[in-house]
C-alpha cells in the first residue's frame, strides 16, 4: 500500500499544477480582455487622429512619429526610420526563448470617395480607404496590452509598422522591401510573423486560410498610339476579356454574396479565372490600358494569358496597339498550414466558434507585400471583419462606401494579443 502513497501524491500534485496552469492561462487572457476594454476609448481616439491625417507611401511622417512616440511611452525598444518611415519596436519578455512578430501597415490611398464620418480626412484626395489606420491602431493596442503583462511573457514580441503597402507591382516600390533592405532582419530575427487586414465580413470574426489566401494574379498592360480612340479600344478589349470570365458574372461583385461569395458553401471562388480592365491613362507618347487577370490555378493563369494576348492582338480596331504585356506577378503570401490551423483553433477555443470565418476559396484581385517579409519566416495573415449590417457599415477596402465598425479594434487587439501569448508559450 505504502508504495502507492508517493505516486498518489505525485498524481495529486500533477493535477494541482495542471489546474493551476489552466487557471493561469485563463487568467492571462482575462487580463488581455480587461486591458483591451480599459484602453479601447483611447485607441478609438488614436484611430480617428490617424484617419484625419492620412499619408501616402513613404510620406507617413506624422503617423510614423505618432506610432514611435506611443511605443516609446510604453517603454519598448524603438527603432525609427527603418526603410523610410518604418518603425520597429521590441517588447522584451522574461526569457530570450522565442520572438513573435506582428506587422501593421500605416499608409493611406489616393481617393476622392466621400469620407462620411465625423472624423473625415483633412487631406484633399487622400483617405484611409483600405483601413490601415485600423491596422496601425490594432498594432499599438496590442503593444499596450502585451507590455502591461510583460513579466508574464516567455519571449520577445516585435512590432513592425510598415510604410507603403499600397503600391503596385514593382518590388522596388514596396515598404516591406524598403524595410528589409534597410536591415530590418538584422535588428530583429522573428521565429514567427503575423499580420491582419480589415475585410468585409462581420465584425467580431477573423479568418486565416491555410496556404494562399489571394488568387494568382497577373497585371495586363496594353499600350497604343495617341491617335487611336482609347475608349473604343477599351470597350473592345473589355468585351473580349469578358469571354474569359468563368463563370459569366463579375466575381469581384460576388465576393460579399453570402451564398456564392468566398465564405459561402457553394462558393464560386474555388476554381475560377476572371479578368477586369481598369481606366486608360495617357502619357506623352501613348495610351495605356491596365487590366488584371486572376485565377485560382497558376497553370490556368498562364494558359489564359496566352489566349488573351492572342485575342487582343486580333482586335482589328486595336491594330494600332503598340504592345501587350503581362507584368510581374502580384505579391502574394502563404499562410503556414500548421500555424494557420493551430492559431485558428486557438482563437476558436478561447473566443468561440463564432469568432472564426472559414473561406472556401481564393480572393481575386488583391495582394499584400507582407509576403516579402514572410519569405523566410513562417506565420500567417489574418483577415478581420469590420462590417456591421445593422449600422450600415460595409468594410470592403477601396470601395466607395468603405467604413469600419470600430469595435473591430477591440476584437483585433484581444484576439491577436492572446494569439501572441500562446505562440510565445508554445514549444
Ligand atoms: Zn490595404
Amino acid at each position: 500500500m505504502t508504495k502507492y502513497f508517493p505516486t498518489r501524491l505525485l498524481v495529486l500534485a500533477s493535477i494541482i499544477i495542471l489546474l493551476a496552469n489552466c487557471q493561469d492561462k485563463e487568467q492571462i487572457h482575462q487580463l488581455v480582455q480587461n486591458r483591451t476594454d480599459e484602453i479601447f476609448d483611447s485607441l478609438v481616439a488614436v484611430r480617428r487622429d490617424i484617419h484625419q491625417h492620412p499619408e501616402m507611401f513613404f510620406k507617413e511622417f506624422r503617423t510614423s512619429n505618432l506610432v514611435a512616440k506611443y511605443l516609446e511611452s510604453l517603454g519598448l525598444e524603438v527603432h525609427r526610420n527603418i526603410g523610410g518611415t518604418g518603425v520597429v519596436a521590441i517588447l522584451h519578455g522574461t526569457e530570450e526563448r522565442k520572438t513573435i512578430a506582428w506587422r501593421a501597415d500605416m499608409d493611406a490611398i489616393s481617393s476622392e470617395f466621400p469620407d462620411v464620418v465625423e472624423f473625415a480626412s483633412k487631406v484633399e484626395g487622400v483617405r484611409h480607404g483600405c483601413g490601415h489606420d485600423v491596422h496601425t491602431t490594432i498594432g499599438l493596442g496590442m503593444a499596450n496590452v502585451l507590455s502591461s503583462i510583460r513579466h508574464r511573457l516567455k519571449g520577445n514580441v516585435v512590432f513592425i509598422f510598415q510604410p507603403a503597402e499600397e503600391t503596385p507591382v514593382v518590388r522596388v516600390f514596396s515598404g516591406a522591401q524598403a524595410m528589409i533592405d534597410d536591415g530590418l532582419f538584422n535588428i530583429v530575427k522573428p521565429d514567427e510573423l503575423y499580420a491582419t487586414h480589415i475585410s468585409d465580413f462581420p465584425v467580431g470574426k477573423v479568418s486565416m486560410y491555410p496556404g494562399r489566401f489571394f488568387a494568382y494574379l497577373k497585371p495586363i498592360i496594353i499600350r497604343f498610339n495617341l491617335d487611336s480612340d482609347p475608349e473604343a479600344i477599351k470597350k473592345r478589349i473589355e468585351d473580349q476579356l469578358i469571354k474569359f470570365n468563368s463563370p459569366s458574372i463579375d466575381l469581384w461583385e460576388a465576393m460579399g454574396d453570402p451564398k456564392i461569395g468566398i465564405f459561402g458553401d457553394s462558393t464560386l471562388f474555388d476554381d475560377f479565372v476572371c479578368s477586369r480592365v481598369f481606366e486608360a491613362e495617357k502619357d506623352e507618347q501613348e495610351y495605356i490600358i491596365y487590366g488584371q487577370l486572376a485565377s485560382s490555378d497558376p497553370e490556368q493563369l498562364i494558359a489564359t494569358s496566352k489566349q488573351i494576348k492572342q485575342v487582343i492582338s486580333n482586335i482589328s480596331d486595336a491594330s494600332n496597339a503598340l504592345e501587350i504585356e503581362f507584368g510581374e506577378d502580384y505579391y502574394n503570401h502563404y499562410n503556414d498550414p500548421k500555424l494557420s490551423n493551430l492559431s485558428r483553433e486557438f482563437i476558436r477555443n478561447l473566443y468561440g466558434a463564432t469568432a472564426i470565418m472559414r473561406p472556401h476559396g481564393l480572393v481575386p484581385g488583391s495582394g499584400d507585400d507582407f509576403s516579402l517579409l514572410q519569405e523566410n519566416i513562417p506565420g500567417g495573415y489574418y483577415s478581420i471583419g469590420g462590417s456591421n449590417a445593422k449600422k450600415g457599415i460595409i468594410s470592403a477596402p477601396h470601395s466607395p462606401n468603405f467604413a469600419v465598425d470600430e469595435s473591430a479594434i477591440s476584437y483585433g487587439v484581444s484576439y491577436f494579443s492572446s494569439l501572441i501569448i500562446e505562440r510565445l508559450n508554445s514549444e
Side-chain angles (χ1 to χ4, degrees):
M1 282 291 284
T2 49
K3 75 174 181 181
Y4 292 112
F5 189 64
T7 315
R8 277 187 185 166
L9 259 187
L10 218 64
V11 170
L12 195 65
S14 306
I15 291 170
I16 289 169
I17 289 169
L18 206 69
L19 284 173
N21 277 343
C22 284
Q23 277 176 351
D24 211 41
K25 197 174 163 183
E26 274 173 22
Q27 195 202 18
I28 198 164
H29 297 298
Q30 190 57 55
L31 290 176
V32 165
Q33 191 59 62
N34 295 349
R35 181 69 177 170
T36 304
D37 294 344
E38 249 172 68
I39 62 171
F40 177 67
D41 289 347
S42 67
L43 291 177
V44 168
V46 168
R47 184 260 165 158
R48 293 182 177 191
D49 183 11
I50 298 172
H51 189 91
Q52 281 187 308
H53 303 93
E55 296 168 303
M56 285 175 63
F57 49 86
F58 295 120
K59 302 248 170 27
E60 307 87 345
F61 302 114
R62 186 184 185 279
T63 314
S64 167
N65 189 42
L66 180 155
V67 164
K69 276 174 128 175
Y70 189 100
L71 298 166
E72 282 160 0
S73 77
L74 298 172
L76 271 63
E77 178 189 328
V78 177
H79 301 254
R80 292 177 180 238
N81 305 324
I82 309 299
T85 51
V87 179
V88 180
I90 306 168
L91 171 59
H92 293 279
T94 55
E95 298 171 35
E96 289 295 325
R97 222 168 58 89
K98 227 174 167 185
T99 298
I100 309 294
W102 183 265
R103 174 279 216 164
D105 42 14
M106 303 185 288
D107 57 319
I109 60 173
S110 162
S111 169
E112 297 294 343
F113 292 149
D115 192 13
V116 283
V117 283
E118 296 159 20
F119 46 95
S121 167
K122 292 183 174 176
V123 186
E124 184 72 31
V126 184
R127 305 266 188 281
H128 267 295
C130 198
H132 298 193
D133 51 340
V134 175
H135 308 165
T136 300
T137 308
I138 289 175
L140 293 176
M142 290 166 66
N144 188 319
V145 166
L146 292 171
S147 59
S148 75
I149 48 169
R150 68 176 73 196
H151 57 287
R152 306 270 299 264
L153 300 179
K154 294 181 182 170
N156 299 330
V157 189
V158 165
F159 296 93
I160 300 167
F161 288 87
Q162 185 206 304
E165 187 281 320
E166 292 287 347
T167 53
V169 243
V170 193
R171 269 184 177 241
V172 292
F173 203 65
S174 144
Q177 190 63 51
M179 290 189 82
I180 295 168
D181 293 345
D182 204 13
L184 169 65
F185 293 127
N186 296 328
I187 302 170
V188 290
K189 300 196 187 311
D191 297 294
E192 294 170 25
L193 172 63
Y194 297 89
T196 193
H197 202 296
I198 204 83
S199 187
D200 60 356
F201 56 81
V203 71
K205 295 174 183 291
V206 291
S207 159
M208 190 200 278
Y209 196 65
R212 291 170 71 98
F213 182 59
F214 295 133
Y216 297 83
L217 296 169
K218 267 192 189 300
I220 308 168
I221 304 144
I222 305 157
R223 305 167 192 278
F224 50 98
N225 291 332
L226 283 177
D227 56 8
S228 41
D229 177 353
E231 285 309 312
I233 292 180
K234 190 176 150 212
K235 177 79 178 60
R236 293 297 301 269
I237 290 169
E238 273 172 348
D239 290 347
Q240 293 301 319
L241 287 188
I242 269 170
K243 290 182 184 168
F244 290 96
N245 281 0
S246 165
S248 59
I249 58 162
D250 187 333
L251 278 180
W252 276 271
E253 294 275 313
M255 277 280 293
D257 188 310
K259 288 211 177 71
I260 56 172
I262 194 129
F263 296 105
D265 287 344
S266 323
T267 185
L268 300 176
F269 291 86
D270 53 352
D271 182 19
F272 66 92
V273 182
C274 60
S275 59
R276 64 176 8 185
V277 171
F278 305 121
E279 290 308 297
E281 269 181 22
K282 183 186 173 190
D283 70 14
E284 285 174 7
Q285 287 156 9
E286 59 194 359
Y287 285 110
I288 307 172
I289 288 177
Y290 293 100
Q292 195 180 71
L293 185 63
S295 176
S296 53
D297 174 357
E299 286 178 18
Q300 224 176 2
L301 188 77
I302 293 166
T304 310
S305 51
K306 284 181 186 158
Q307 286 172 293
I308 283 182
K309 193 162 188 166
Q310 191 57 48
V311 164
I312 293 175
S313 304
N314 290 343
I315 296 175
S316 57
D317 288 358
S319 56
N320 46 4
L322 298 176
E323 202 181 326
I324 301 158
E325 60 181 271
F326 292 92
E328 189 183 338
D329 289 1
Y330 284 86
Y331 305 123
N332 210 326
H333 57 263
Y334 183 79
N335 293 331
D336 183 275
K338 188 174 152 225
L339 292 177
S340 305
N341 289 329
L342 272 176
S343 64
R344 203 174 48 192
E345 281 317 299
F346 167 72
I347 290 182
R348 186 199 301 274
N349 290 338
L350 191 62
Y351 289 99
T354 53
I356 300 291
M357 291 288 277
R358 169 111 175 76
H360 298 287
L362 302 177
V363 177
S366 298
D368 194 311
D369 68 352
F370 177 66
S371 59
L372 302 179
L373 297 171
Q374 256 196 322
E375 274 175 352
N376 299 308
I377 306 167
Y381 184 88
Y382 272 97
S383 294
I384 180 165
S387 294
N388 187 330
K390 283 186 192 147
K391 295 183 188 168
I393 294 175
I394 301 167
S395 295
H398 294 253
S399 68
N401 53 0
F402 173 76
V404 179
D405 184 325
E406 287 173 320
S407 58
I409 296 168
S410 171
Y411 289 111
V413 170
S414 53
Y415 289 2
F416 301 133
S417 296
S418 287
L419 175 73
I420 285 185
I421 295 166
E422 174 70 9
R423 296 311 306 150
L424 283 176
N425 290 343
S426 69
E427 290 313 313

